[in-house]
Amino acid sequence: MQSYYIETYGCQMNAHDSEKIAGILDTMGLRAAEKEQADIILFNTCCVREHAEKRVFGNLGALQKLKTEKPNLVVAVCGCMMQQTEVRERLYHRFPFVDLIIGTNALHMLPQLLERVFCGERVLFTQGIDDEIAEDLPTKRAPGVAASVSIMHGCNNFCTYCIVPYVRGRERSRQPERIISEIQALAEQGYSEVLLLGQNVNSYGNNLEDMDFSKLLRMVNDIDGIKRIRFMTSHPKDLSSGLIAAMAGLPKICSHLHLPVQSGSTNILKLMNRGYTREEYLALTRELRLALPNIELTTDIIVGFPGETEADFEETLSIIDEVGFSAAFTFMFSPRTGTAAANLPEQVSQATKKNRLQQLNTLQTLQTRKTNERYLGRVEEVLVDGFDQRTKLLYGKLSCFKTVYFPGAFDMIGSYVGVFIEKTHNSSLLGLLEQKVQ
Ligand code: SAH
Ligand code: SF4
Ligand code: F3S
């Protein structure tokens, strides 16, 4: 029996695609293995920032040695990077030992393409970025208590810094019936938490008749066995009052929203083509907190976007305090060939970007600590994820997405327990088991 190893870069979409790739390979009769032992090594790539791209080139280069030792090793590369013609060609020529290159929309073709590779052919196969995405692919979900389900593909927003619309194509929503039957099956398998995935979930249903994200959420909320619903990513320009009302009225929706702000300066937001101002974003967060008093907000921020002045950056710093984010994923602007921002004048120096990132992270760490402290002395419901070997503690997530560590027994993994929050760390909480909820 042959074995495989998948190395995944990038976002949750890619991680979910890797679950499908594993499902397909298992169905072909292959089994998962460690990298050094595997007969097939597959890289699922990301190109959202230069750093991700460099890591793929570096780590692929390191496979040269393994390939020399094991000439029958099959090396395959898929994912967003392979939808960029220039990068794909460069990789194809630089690494002659790569046997298979496959595009993001062609995963269902994997068995046929691998057969051709097994017959000695070197295969490069990509499809149009807007092609229909095959449904009902076998999916081998990563171990855990929550399951990811993609509800839509692609993106229409063309934020000026972002490569995603160029490599994932136009936005298309999956049929609600298919999503619901997938989640029903997951509930039957014992998953009680779902994470609905899309680049901009708030515009779900735009290409469907009489369908929107609020309706989908109501349908998911009605599924027996599902206890927690999460979704990402939400785009501030499409987060309607109707959706906020739906969130407030549906008990299974977690009290957490990831709402990328990207910058606190209206000037920069305009250059980014984000479709909202600083004031509009702030008004939205106020409306959210009014409707959902316990909600925790997390965000993404880019520093050093072309033209970002000290004053613009100050506005980003001040929005951290003003909104009180419980976490922020922060990035230095990375010019992506083909996007509008790559050609803007007034690119910011690397040193300034680094300095701003550091300042931002220091401030956010303080802010995260503040939001953690609110939980001290409270008993919170926790879905137990697993056991941490290093600390010998169980860990799990609160509805608000904070992680808590606490002593407990293995058989609690997968169940909901009440945990008394005793201490806080920079990014997590520490507690004591209060009671078994179910
Ligand atoms: N669809 C999601 C996620 C997109 S990628 C959204 O709209 O939020 C995840 C994050 O990567 C983005 O939110 C953005 O903060 C960051 N990002 C995207 N392109 C980037 C670039 N060229 N340089 C730096 N960060 C980038
Ligand atoms: Fe990229 Fe913007 Fe689409 Fe998110 S919404 S994937 S940042 S273009
Ligand atoms: Fe995700 Fe990276 Fe592609 S962030 S959509 S894997 S470019």
Side-chain angles (χ1 to χ4, degrees):
M1 193 202 264
Q2 289 214 307
S3 61
Y4 67 87
Y5 173 84
I6 306 170
E7 191 154 306
T8 309
Y9 299 79
C11 65
Q12 255 129 337
M13 305 274 173
N14 251 22
H16 187 48
D17 278 351
S18 288
E19 294 180 336
K20 290 183 188 158
I21 295 167
I24 295 170
L25 295 175
D26 276 13
T27 311
M28 286 173 73
L30 282 83
R31 67 182 164 78
E34 292 302 318
K35 194 172 186 176
E36 287 68 26
Q37 278 77 48
D39 303 304
I40 302 172
I41 296 180
L42 201 140
F43 275 41
N44 190 8
T45 62
C46 167
C47 51
V48 80
R49 284 171 290 275
E50 195 188 1
H51 177 67
E53 208 171 280
K54 275 195 171 150
R55 274 178 57 219
V56 168
F57 270 88
N59 293 346
L60 258 182
L63 285 187
Q64 171 83 67
K65 188 167 162 274
L66 205 59
K67 183 86 177 190
T68 315
E69 287 163 16
K70 286 169 63 173
N72 289 333
L73 174 70
V74 169
V75 178
V77 187
C78 66
C80 294
M81 235 170 107
M82 295 304 98
Q83 294 294 157
Q84 294 177 289
T85 316
E86 185 274 327
V87 182
R88 180 172 68 225
E89 296 291 325
R90 187 150 45 92
L91 188 139
Y92 187 80
H93 290 110
R94 174 136 156 226
F95 302 117
F97 61 82
V98 169
D99 303 287
L100 169 63
I101 285 180
I102 175 170
T104 46
N105 293 344
L107 294 183
H108 59 288
M109 300 283 291
L110 196 56
Q112 288 129 280
L113 299 174
L114 271 177
E115 282 305 327
R116 283 167 55 187
V117 171
F118 294 148
C119 292
E121 210 182 316
R122 190 175 188 217
V123 180
L124 193 158
F125 187 87
T126 55
Q127 287 183 317
I129 47 170
D130 296 331
D131 282 10
E132 210 167 302
I133 307 228
E135 286 283 344
D136 297 326
L137 293 180
T139 306
K140 182 187 184 186
R141 289 190 156 79
V145 290
S148 298
V149 174
S150 65
I151 63 166
M152 58 212 292
H153 305 283
C155 182
N156 286 352
N157 288 314
F158 290 93
C159 303
T160 54
Y161 50 80
C162 186
I163 194 78
V164 172
Y166 301 91
V167 293
R168 289 277 177 172
R170 292 300 61 71
E171 183 181 289
R172 45 263 191 246
S173 297
R174 287 180 69 202
Q175 292 293 339
E177 305 79 47
R178 288 187 177 273
I179 298 170
I180 297 304
S181 61
E182 185 176 343
I183 300 175
Q184 277 165 341
L186 289 168
E188 277 159 27
Q189 288 164 39
Y191 288 100
S192 66
E193 182 176 309
V194 280
L195 171 62
L196 309 177
L197 288 177
Q199 296 297 350
N200 178 7
V201 290
N202 308 136
S203 61
Y204 173 79
N206 278 359
N207 62 321
L208 303 174
E209 214 159 290
D210 197 24
M211 196 60 212
D212 65 23
F213 189 51
S214 305
K215 279 189 192 159
L216 182 74
L217 284 177
R218 281 192 201 99
M219 291 163 83
V220 179
N221 195 74
D222 284 343
I223 298 175
D224 287 338
I226 293 300
K227 294 199 178 73
R228 283 181 170 185
I229 304 168
R230 300 186 191 278
F231 48 85
M232 71 184 296
T233 301
S234 290
H235 195 305
K237 79 173 165 57
D238 294 313
L239 183 67
S240 64
S241 298
L243 178 58
I244 295 176
M247 286 169 69
L250 298 172
K252 294 180 182 175
I253 296 191
C254 288
S255 56
H256 165 230
L257 188 69
H258 185 61
L259 193 64
V261 65
Q262 311 297 359
S263 168
S265 150
T266 297
N267 292 339
I268 297 298
L269 288 169
K270 198 161 182 203
L271 289 173
M272 286 177 164
N273 189 30
R274 288 291 287 176
Y276 54 87
T277 62
R278 173 191 175 92
E279 287 67 34
E280 280 163 350
Y281 184 91
L282 286 171
L284 198 56
T285 60
R286 280 194 294 271
E287 189 181 343
L288 275 162
R289 291 202 193 280
L290 214 62
L292 301 140
N294 294 322
I295 200 158
E296 291 288 358
L297 299 172
T298 57
T299 202
D300 290 351
I301 295 175
I302 299 175
V303 296
F305 186 85
E308 186 186 71
T309 60
E310 267 311 311
D312 292 319
F313 177 62
E314 288 294 327
E315 289 203 276
T316 295
L317 290 177
S318 67
I319 210 165
I320 295 269
D321 278 334
E322 226 168 310
V323 177
F325 295 113
S326 65
F329 301 89
T330 56
F331 311 102
M332 288 190 280
F333 170 70
S334 169
R336 306 282 65 211
T337 310
T339 64
N343 302 321
L344 284 176
E346 300 177 66
Q347 297 282 330
V348 175
S349 76
Q350 195 65 10
T352 305
K353 284 182 196 170
K354 269 194 183 151
N355 178 283
R356 288 181 184 169
L357 189 72
Q358 239 166 32
Q359 286 186 60
L360 187 63
N361 288 344
T362 307
L363 188 67
Q364 183 55 49
T365 305
L366 290 175
Q367 187 56 54
T368 301
R369 216 184 282 161
K370 260 194 230 167
T371 62
N372 283 347
E373 279 162 9
R374 287 204 295 264
Y375 292 81
L376 280 176
R378 285 178 19 188
V379 176
E380 290 286 329
E381 188 186 69
V382 175
L383 170 54
V384 189
D385 270 336
F387 179 76
D388 181 52
Q389 286 297 344
R390 198 179 54 82
T391 55
K392 308 285 179 223
L393 294 171
L394 291 177
Y395 61 88
K397 286 240 171 351
L398 274 51
S399 168
C400 70
F401 206 57
K402 288 194 180 286
T403 302
V404 59
Y405 290 81
F406 59 98
F410 271 115
D411 67 354
M412 287 175 181
I413 295 173
S415 66
Y416 290 81
V417 296
V419 173
F420 175 77
I421 310 297
E422 214 186 16
K423 274 192 197 148
T424 65
H425 286 308
N426 273 351
S427 59
S428 61
L429 309 169
L430 210 67
L432 285 176
L433 196 64
E434 180 79 4
Q435 61 189 299
K436 200 160 169 160
V437 177
Q438 275 147 12

